[in-house]
Amino acid sequence: MSFFGGTDNLELFLSRSRAMSVGSVPVCLALMVFFITEEGWRYSLLLCGVLPVIAAYLGVRGRSEIRAGMAAAGLGLAVATLPLTFVLASLEGA
């Protein structure tokens, strides 16, 4: 089974999942502050304050407990946060 970059190294996958899920926290928080001040979005951007923190927790726990499923769930949640926020914001504006 091959992960990112064509390697079969579980440790590399867990490390990259943790780094990407933890890295999504400051990005989402910065976008949340920007969009609240510029666009006036409120409720949909609450997801940007909650979901990345949960994703980072799952990524860190998945690496420390060597659970690929938990790390992948954290990575998936980190990646899905912004599109989900934009969909909810478009519904909020309608």
Side-chain angles (χ1 to χ4, degrees):
M1 183 166 159
S2 171
F3 295 114
F4 298 118
T7 62
D8 292 337
N9 192 354
L10 179 63
E11 183 68 28
L12 181 64
F13 171 72
L14 292 173
S15 296
R16 287 184 178 175
S17 294
R18 181 192 62 182
M20 291 175 68
S21 60
V22 169
S24 72
V25 173
V27 170
C28 287
L29 291 178
L31 283 174
M32 180 179 69
V33 169
F34 174 74
F35 282 129
I36 285 175
T37 58
E38 292 295 319
E39 300 292 328
W41 296 347
R42 299 277 188 259
Y43 302 111
S44 61
L45 289 175
L46 289 175
L47 292 177
C48 281
V50 176
L51 290 182
V53 176
I54 294 170
Y57 173 75
L58 289 174
V60 170
R61 282 295 291 259
R63 186 180 185 289
S64 66
E65 295 179 6
I66 308 174
R67 298 177 115 185
M70 189 180 289
L75 178 62
L77 192 59
V79 170
T81 298
L82 286 178
L84 182 62
T85 301
F86 290 136
V87 166
L88 289 176
S90 67
L91 293 175
E92 182 180 291

